[in-house]
Amino acid sequence: MHTTIPALHVGQGTHQAGLTVFPVWVDAPRIGMLDWAPASLRIAERAEGAAVDTLEAENLADRSLVALEGDLLEGGWQNRMLARSMVLAPRERRELPALCIEQGRWGGAAAHSAGGRRASLVVRYGDEAAQHRISDELHRHDRQSRVWHRIDAIEQRLGRSETRSFTHQLDRQSIRPPRMIDGQRGVIIGIGGRIMGLELFCSGSGLRSRYAGIVQSAAVDARLADPVATSAERARAFARALQGRRLHGGEAGERWFEVARDDDLIAATGLGVRVAGGAAGPTDRGLLHLTALDRAHPLLAAV
């Protein structure tokens, strides 16, 4: 059994500088009873000694909490981003895989904060998407060096920061996210006249928890491209290419599981869930979150 991307409906885009943001609606039931608030996650350096690639976390909520790959974890000994998406049970404690986004600092306080800010698609994937490495290669030992390389390339174009932190670029961007629309559960990002990608959620509250972070990080990527608007037809063509595609993952029977798809046109990764009581029985599969990229976007090959 596979998880399938549902039908997607794309609204009118809002254009600012080189960034065009399109609202997306989904033909799939909303999945609720989840905590999406980043502040519900308490994050700290490892008690036995700080490590670049690992943080300790506790879900402070009484509901299962969704933590997303690309979420920024700011503070501690250095700013990090979460390296993979996961769901934490109520009050669960566990170690989180992390990637450093601040190469020039090592030291400070133990605690981090998560406020919904996101690493941009270029920082998270860059040339890995263009070169068919979004799945397996992302977990190899060189992923950290690739993230540092991309941030360095961005800083060469947009200006250096004291500690080589991606958060510096977020602090410098000035684009305000367009207002979310009733029922909206996703966004398609156009940069420089081309579709960069999509982020899709199982509920409006999920999107709302990361919406500003998605748009503001995309605004950083947009500063690397020409200030050209992206047409609605491009966004709708991207949605048509996505919907109905099968995502692989979850064969082991877990309730929450990672999903992915990798082909010549699109790279996608996300979280799925087994939903009880659906029309097809207790083994229905739904999508909690999905990130999809257009491999052909020039920024994904150049940075």
Side-chain angles (χ1 to χ4, degrees):
M1 180 181 295
H2 297 275
T3 307
T4 302
I5 300 175
L8 307 173
H9 305 280
V10 181
Q12 185 64 38
T14 300
H15 176 65
Q16 303 177 69
L19 174 65
T20 312
V21 178
F22 299 91
V24 177
W25 291 264
V26 186
D27 274 351
R30 174 185 177 276
I31 300 173
M33 302 304 293
L34 293 164
D35 196 308
W36 290 90
S40 295
L41 195 62
R42 177 187 289 156
I43 307 152
E45 302 290 353
R46 294 166 68 243
E48 62 269 33
V52 171
D53 62 354
T54 308
L55 293 167
E56 293 183 348
E58 179 185 5
N59 176 9
L60 302 177
D62 294 322
R63 294 186 292 179
S64 295
L65 182 143
V66 185
L68 295 179
E69 178 273 328
D71 282 350
L72 295 193
L73 314 171
E74 301 181 51
W77 281 42
Q78 59 184 190
N79 294 332
R80 319 289 220 292
M81 71 175 180
L82 190 61
R84 55 184 284 242
S85 298
M86 60 186 65
V87 178
L88 285 79
R91 306 294 171 176
E92 179 183 0
R93 297 184 180 186
R94 73 159 75 170
E95 290 189 341
L96 298 181
L99 290 160
C100 169
I101 59 156
E102 186 181 21
Q103 190 175 5
R105 180 172 71 93
W106 184 246
H112 287 72
S113 64
R117 298 219 289 183
R118 305 274 283 150
S120 74
L121 293 178
V122 165
V123 169
R124 290 157 61 190
Y125 303 117
D127 61 344
E128 289 169 356
Q131 299 179 30
H132 291 224
R133 290 197 295 266
I134 193 170
S135 297
D136 296 338
E137 188 75 11
L138 284 180
H139 301 288
R140 296 169 72 98
H141 68 277
D142 65 345
R143 189 180 180 195
Q144 178 63 78
S145 64
R146 291 181 179 277
V147 169
W148 281 334
H149 169 77
R150 291 180 209 126
I151 294 173
D152 183 67
I154 290 171
E155 291 208 330
Q156 287 183 39
R157 296 276 301 277
L158 304 182
R160 295 291 186 185
S161 61
E162 183 178 354
T163 61
R164 289 174 285 171
S165 176
F166 178 71
T167 59
H168 172 75
Q169 304 301 335
L170 286 177
D171 295 340
R172 294 180 62 204
Q173 70 80 30
S174 58
I175 288 178
R176 297 178 63 85
R179 182 180 62 86
M180 279 183 59
I181 303 172
D182 288 348
Q184 180 182 348
R185 285 177 23 197
V187 289
I188 288 177
I189 299 296
I191 291 177
R194 302 277 296 269
I195 297 302
M196 173 77 86
L198 160 146
E199 287 211 40
L200 196 67
F201 293 77
C202 67
S203 66
S205 57
L207 173 60
R208 193 171 298 108
S209 71
R210 305 302 198 280
Y211 181 62
I214 292 168
V215 175
Q216 289 163 357
S217 66
V220 176
D221 287 348
R223 293 174 61 204
L224 304 170
D226 293 333
V228 179
T230 305
S231 69
E233 181 49 41
R234 282 185 180 267
R236 290 174 183 134
F238 184 66
R240 289 193 298 270
L242 274 177
Q243 61 190 19
R245 287 179 179 253
R246 290 181 172 183
L247 301 167
H248 308 289
E251 288 78 11
E254 319 95 315
R255 184 181 181 191
W256 321 102
F257 50 90
E258 293 178 284
V259 294
R261 182 177 180 109
D262 230 355
D263 57 40
D264 289 339
L265 300 175
I266 290 167
T269 183
L271 279 175
V273 59
R274 297 181 189 277
V275 183
T283 58
D284 274 3
R285 292 173 176 232
L287 270 177
L288 291 184
H289 175 260
L290 186 73
T291 298
L293 304 174
D294 184 347
R295 289 193 183 283
H297 197 286
L299 284 182
L300 293 177
V303 179

